[in-house]
């Protein structure tokens, strides 16, 4: 019986080995000679089988998407199967790779499949990345991936079929990270905070100008990231990546942020505010970058170069593991020690641009053969290597004094939901409380005239700040700034910040005046106010003298008095956000 048991066990193991050897994990990309990308169901099946076949691969469902299907993550760990709750506490560096946020840009989907397969099937590669946890989101925009076609990427050279940019609800998911209108974004937040990655990579394909490169990099803007982290990206990570790729004979350039002109004129670094993936991950001090392959280069080349870039970034992460941990460790404390935090930026005109030896094509303006106008033509038969200006130095245009805490009136459920999604710690008042705080009134703002990702986005917002004793009710939220999500708190609750919750219309109800007056009634009241209140009267008379338009507008005159009277509602333009410094 003992011998029979051993024989059966041996036969079982042999069957498993034969099964695994039969499944060599050749992808559709490889089968097609580099012209096709796998469908969603095949990608997920591929990773499930990879996980079943190799102990270093773990496969998880996490969160729900607008398509009604869960997101997935695939984890590589040389130590074997991984427990989700152990990732953020691991001494290893973690790298999160996101794919298919725009499913027509499928290069990263195929490159990641090849990457994990090659690592687990190669003992040398497994050893190379023994101190790194590699976490892959196979396809982020599942709804867009299922909406497969061959035509919507009009400017792109392959693959033969691909997904659609918008998700199931037609959101561009790479504009949704901070506002989180979609279930996808909420699920991403769950994944992100479960992993707390040291490095984040998001794979894309570019539009815009034409040039010789098949691949470019878009690191998060280093001045915005700031401090040691920003310096590390600009002086360590970026040069190392460029050098590694050049050693592989793959020229790479910063993302060519050119629209309508040619690269010879130079360009500015793309400013990735928190609506974008790398702008969002930066709020939690993750070192982030996007990969941007070039739309006109053959699909096979684009995928292969994405694959090589991922390996180069993994090599850097492994080699500089200790440095990365150190530079991230005390980032929040260093930010808060400065007392001042920048919330908006512009290109710094006092800094000279960097100079890039750029590999481009000559461009010229010629007559269109389609319209009666002109068109831009890049001539690939006229390549050049010339210096161009790269404006990658930004400076703050608005800074705030960092408060001890923000206080949010209860009832703003959509804001609270996002604070919870991002693991922001807060307490609630256990009883009614009066505190001296800064109040924020909206002073001015502009609004987009056309819809943008489900919103009419505000911008150029300014506020009036006053210090007042304010009564807070039991249940109002007290949000201390000194926590891991400090940057997220400030850049969402400060209304003047680029991607604040105010600018994304979360507080639009405060912009509408709820009470008013009938002119014929308020005339008598206004007359009495001017008799009894010399301050309002003096201001009114001064404006009548200095403002000719006002002097000709009786309605504006009456409104001037009303808004300075006790009748004008205090809630109009008052944000339910307060800043406490004690």
């Amino acid at each position: 019986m003992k011998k029979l048991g051993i024989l059966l066990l041996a036969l079982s193991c042999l069957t498993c080995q034969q099964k695994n050897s039969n499944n060599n994990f050749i992808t559709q990309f490889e089968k097609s000679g580099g012209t096709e990308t796998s469908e969603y169901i095949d990608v997920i099946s591929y990773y499930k089988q990879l996980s079943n076949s190799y102990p270093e691969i773990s496969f998880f469902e996490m969160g729900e998407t607008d398509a009604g299907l869960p997101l997935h993550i695939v984890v590589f760990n040389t130590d074997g199967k991984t427990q989700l709750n152990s990732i953020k506490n691991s001494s290893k560096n973690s790298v999160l790779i996101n794919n298919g946020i725009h499913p027509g840009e499928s290069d990263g989907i195929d490159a990641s499949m090849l990457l994990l397969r090659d690592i687990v099937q190669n003992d040398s590669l497994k050893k190379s990345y023994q101190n790194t946890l590699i976490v892959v989101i196979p396809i982020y925009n599942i709804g867009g991936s299922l909406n497969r076609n061959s035509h919507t990427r009009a400017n792109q050279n392959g693959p033969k079929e691909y997904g659609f940019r918008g998700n199931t609800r037609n959101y561009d998911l790479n504009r949704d990270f901070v506002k989180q209108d979609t279930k996808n974004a909420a699920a991403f937040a769950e994944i992100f905070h479960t992993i707390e990655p040291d490095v984040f990579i998001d794979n894309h394909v570019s539009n815009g100008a034409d040039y010789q490169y098949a691949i470019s990099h878009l690191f998060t803007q280093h001045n915005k990231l700031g401090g040691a982290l920003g310096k590390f990206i600009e002086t360590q990570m970026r040069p190392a990546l460029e050098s590694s790729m050049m050693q592989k004979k793959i020229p790479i350039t910063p993302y060519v942020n050119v629209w309508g002109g040619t690269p010879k004129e130079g360009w500015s670094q793309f400013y990735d505010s928190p609506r974008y993936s790398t702008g969002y991950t930066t709020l939690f001090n993750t070192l982030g970058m996007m990969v941007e392959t070039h739309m006109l280069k053959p699909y096979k080349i684009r995928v292969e170069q994405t694959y090589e870039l991922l390996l180069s970034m993994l090599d850097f992460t492994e080699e500089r593991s200790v440095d990365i941990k150190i530079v991230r460790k005390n980032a929040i404390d260093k930010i808060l020690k400065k007392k001042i935090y920048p919330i908006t930026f512009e290109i710094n005109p006092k800094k000279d641009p960097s100079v890039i030896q750029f590999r481009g094509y000559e461009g010229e303006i010629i007559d269109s053969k389609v319209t009666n106008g002109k068109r831009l033509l890049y001539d690939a038969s006229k390549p050049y290597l010339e210096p161009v200006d790269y404006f990658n130095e930004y400076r703050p245009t608005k800074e705030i004094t960092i408060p001890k805490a923000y206080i949010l009136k209860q009832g703003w459920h959509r804001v609270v939901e996002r604070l919870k999604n991002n693991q922001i710690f807060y307490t609630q008042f256990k009883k009614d409380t009066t505190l001296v705080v800064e109040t924020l009134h909206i002073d001015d703002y502009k609004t987009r005239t056309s819809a943008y990702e489900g919103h009419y986005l505000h911008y150029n917002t300014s506020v009036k700040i006053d210090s007042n004793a304010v009564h807070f009710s039991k249940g109002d939220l007290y949000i201390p700034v000194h926590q891991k999500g400090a940057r997220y708190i400030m850049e969402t609750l400060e209304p003047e910040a680029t991607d604040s919750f105010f600018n994304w219309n979360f507080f639009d109800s405060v912009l509408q005046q709820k009470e008013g007056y009938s002119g014929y009634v308020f005339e008598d009241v206004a007359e009495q106010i001017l008799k009894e209140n010399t301050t309002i009267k003096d201001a009114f008379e001064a404006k009548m003298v200095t403002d000719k338009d006002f002097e000709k507008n009786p309605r504006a005159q009456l409104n001037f008095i009303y808004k300075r009277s006790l009748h004008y509602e205090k809630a109009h333009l008052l944000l339910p956000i307060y800043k406490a410094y004690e």
Side-chain angles (χ1 to χ4, degrees):
M1 286 293 292
K2 186 175 180 180
K3 290 183 178 179
L4 178 60
I6 294 173
L7 179 61
L8 290 173
L9 179 61
L11 288 172
S12 176
C13 291
L14 179 61
T15 301
C16 290
Q17 290 172 358
Q18 288 174 340
K19 180 180 179 182
N20 290 344
S21 64
N22 290 337
N23 188 350
N24 52 14
F25 296 99
I26 301 300
T27 66
Q28 185 61 32
F29 169 78
E30 293 167 302
K31 292 175 185 176
S32 67
T35 61
E36 297 180 13
T37 186
S38 296
E39 296 189 36
Y40 168 76
I41 191 170
D42 295 324
V43 173
I44 302 307
S45 175
Y46 176 95
Y47 282 118
K48 283 182 178 178
Q49 292 179 47
L50 200 67
S51 175
N52 290 334
S53 301
Y54 295 95
E56 298 88 358
I57 298 293
S58 302
F59 183 83
F60 302 97
E61 290 185 358
M62 289 196 70
E64 191 180 351
T65 68
D66 285 350
L69 295 167
L71 280 183
H72 299 89
I73 61 171
V74 186
V75 183
F76 164 80
N77 183 357
T78 52
D79 297 340
K81 295 298 181 185
T82 304
Q83 298 297 317
L84 276 179
N85 58 10
S86 68
I87 295 178
K88 71 169 65 177
N89 298 318
S90 174
S91 60
K92 299 184 178 187
N93 272 1
S94 55
V95 178
L96 175 60
I97 301 170
N98 189 40
N99 296 306
I101 193 169
H102 300 144
E105 304 170 19
S106 55
D107 306 21
I109 296 172
D110 290 305
S112 294
M113 294 169 75
L114 301 176
L115 178 77
L116 290 189
R117 178 202 67 191
D118 289 353
I119 291 175
V120 295
Q121 292 183 349
N122 185 307
D123 289 340
S124 177
L125 285 176
K126 279 195 288 189
K127 186 176 180 180
S128 294
Y129 304 126
Q130 61 186 339
N131 295 314
T132 302
L133 295 173
I134 306 171
V135 185
V136 172
I137 299 177
I139 299 178
Y140 178 52
N141 182 356
I142 296 173
S145 181
L146 294 172
N147 187 7
R148 201 169 168 93
N149 73 97
S150 300
H151 311 292
T152 52
R153 300 287 293 184
N155 297 331
Q156 189 167 295
N157 182 9
K160 292 180 179 178
E161 291 184 351
Y162 41 76
F164 182 65
R165 186 180 183 90
N167 85 331
T168 302
R169 296 166 58 205
N170 208 36
Y171 277 98
D172 184 334
L173 294 180
N174 202 33
R175 309 293 187 272
D176 193 45
F177 282 92
V178 78
K179 63 186 176 70
Q180 292 187 358
D181 285 335
T182 64
K183 289 184 177 181
N184 300 65
F188 182 90
E190 180 184 355
I191 291 170
F192 181 80
H193 293 294
T194 297
I195 298 165
E196 293 188 358
D198 297 293
V199 176
F200 173 72
I201 303 171
D202 202 353
N203 288 310
H204 290 254
V205 180
S206 72
N207 287 306
D210 194 11
Y211 38 81
Q212 297 175 45
Y213 304 91
I215 194 166
S216 64
H217 60 69
L218 196 166
F219 284 94
T220 192
Q221 209 289 310
H222 64 96
N223 303 109
K224 175 175 65 67
L225 179 57
L229 285 166
K231 185 177 180 181
F232 185 81
I233 272 194
E234 186 65 7
T235 65
Q236 304 293 321
M237 183 177 276
R238 174 189 158 193
L241 177 71
E242 292 173 339
S243 175
S244 174
M245 295 293 279
M246 286 302 294
Q247 288 174 18
K248 298 175 181 180
K249 302 190 184 318
I250 300 175
I252 190 169
T253 186
Y255 173 68
V256 184
N257 189 24
V258 174
W259 304 90
T262 66
K264 272 194 173 183
E265 302 165 10
W267 69 87
S268 63
Q269 183 178 10
F270 184 83
Y271 182 78
D272 56 334
S273 65
R275 72 190 64 172
Y276 303 104
S277 63
T278 55
Y280 167 81
T281 56
T282 293
L283 296 181
F284 300 93
N285 303 303
T286 292
L287 299 164
M289 71 163 296
M290 291 185 189
V291 180
E292 293 278 359
T293 58
H294 193 274
M295 58 189 175
L296 295 178
K297 302 303 184 282
Y299 187 60
K300 185 174 187 293
I301 292 174
R302 295 183 351 233
V303 172
E304 290 171 349
Q305 293 196 8
T306 300
Y307 173 93
E308 291 297 338
L309 184 145
L310 293 176
L311 285 175
S312 291
M313 185 57 75
L314 290 174
D315 290 341
F316 177 84
T317 303
E318 190 79 20
E319 292 163 8
R320 303 295 298 274
S321 176
V322 174
D323 296 334
I324 290 171
K325 289 291 187 186
I326 290 173
V327 80
R328 293 190 69 232
K329 183 177 179 181
N330 299 315
I332 290 298
D333 288 338
K334 290 178 180 178
I335 289 169
L336 297 181
K337 277 182 181 178
K338 292 183 177 180
K339 308 297 183 183
I340 301 294
Y341 184 77
I343 56 173
T344 60
F345 288 82
E346 68 179 5
I347 295 170
N348 192 342
K350 296 182 179 180
K351 292 278 191 178
D352 292 331
S354 302
V355 177
I356 296 173
Q357 294 299 320
F358 185 73
R359 301 169 185 268
Y361 296 131
E362 294 291 348
E364 60 178 319
I365 302 298
I366 64 173
D367 290 332
S368 169
K369 296 179 180 179
V370 179
T371 72
N372 58 4
K374 302 287 186 179
R375 59 155 292 186
L376 172 62
L377 173 70
Y378 287 99
D379 190 343
S381 69
K382 297 179 180 178
Y384 65 81
L385 176 61
E386 294 183 12
V388 299
D389 290 338
Y390 178 51
F391 298 88
N392 65 330
E393 292 290 335
Y394 280 71
R395 68 177 183 184
T397 54
K398 177 67 179 180
E399 296 177 315
I400 57 131
T401 300
I402 300 174
K404 180 180 180 181
Y406 290 85
I407 301 174
L408 176 67
K409 292 280 191 176
Q410 60 192 300
W412 298 89
H413 310 299
R414 294 174 65 230
V415 173
V416 175
E417 179 183 6
R418 282 148 184 79
L419 296 177
K420 290 179 179 178
N421 287 348
N422 288 280
Q423 299 187 4
I424 300 302
F425 170 78
Y426 62 85
T427 58
Q428 292 178 275
F429 290 117
K430 295 181 179 179
K431 61 180 181 179
D432 289 4
T433 305
T434 299
L435 295 173
V436 176
V437 293
E438 280 189 351
T439 58
L440 305 174
H441 276 87
I442 299 299
D443 186 37
D444 195 16
Y445 63 96
K446 306 295 182 188
T447 303
R448 282 180 178 259
T449 56
S450 58
Y452 178 75
E453 296 305 321
H455 294 255
Y456 286 82
L457 188 65
H458 302 315
Y459 62 98
N460 290 351
T461 298
S462 61
V463 296
K464 291 188 296 186
I465 300 176
D466 294 301
S467 182
N468 294 292
V470 176
H471 176 83
F472 295 103
S473 301
K474 176 183 177 181
D476 290 344
L477 281 65
Y478 183 89
I479 310 164
V481 172
H482 201 293
Q483 57 177 295
K484 284 190 293 187
R487 300 179 70 167
Y488 177 89
I489 293 167
M490 290 186 283
E491 295 201 34
T492 57
L493 296 185
E494 285 289 340
E496 294 171 311
T498 303
D499 279 334
S500 68
F501 286 145
F502 171 79
N503 280 339
W504 280 108
N505 310 122
F506 283 67
F507 297 110
D508 274 8
S509 56
V510 307
L511 301 179
Q512 183 183 5
Q513 193 174 327
K514 297 302 187 291
E515 300 281 9
Y517 61 88
S518 295
Y520 79 94
V521 177
F522 192 66
E523 281 278 354
D524 297 330
V525 177
E527 181 182 0
Q528 193 64 27
I529 289 172
L530 293 179
K531 287 180 181 178
E532 296 175 354
N533 192 313
T534 56
T535 301
I536 296 177
K537 180 181 179 183
D538 292 346
F540 177 77
E541 291 177 348
K543 191 167 181 65
M544 290 286 281
V545 172
T546 58
D547 189 333
K548 295 302 180 184
D549 291 334
F550 181 77
E551 190 267 339
K552 298 174 183 177
N553 190 336
R555 182 66 182 179
Q557 296 162 22
L558 205 58
N559 204 45
F560 181 92
I561 299 167
Y562 174 77
K563 284 195 170 182
R564 284 154 182 78
S565 74
L566 294 175
H567 301 286
Y568 177 56
E569 64 197 68
K570 294 180 180 180
H572 186 218
L573 301 178
L574 174 65
L575 287 169
I577 301 168
Y578 304 84
K579 299 165 73 170
Y581 291 89
E582 298 294 336

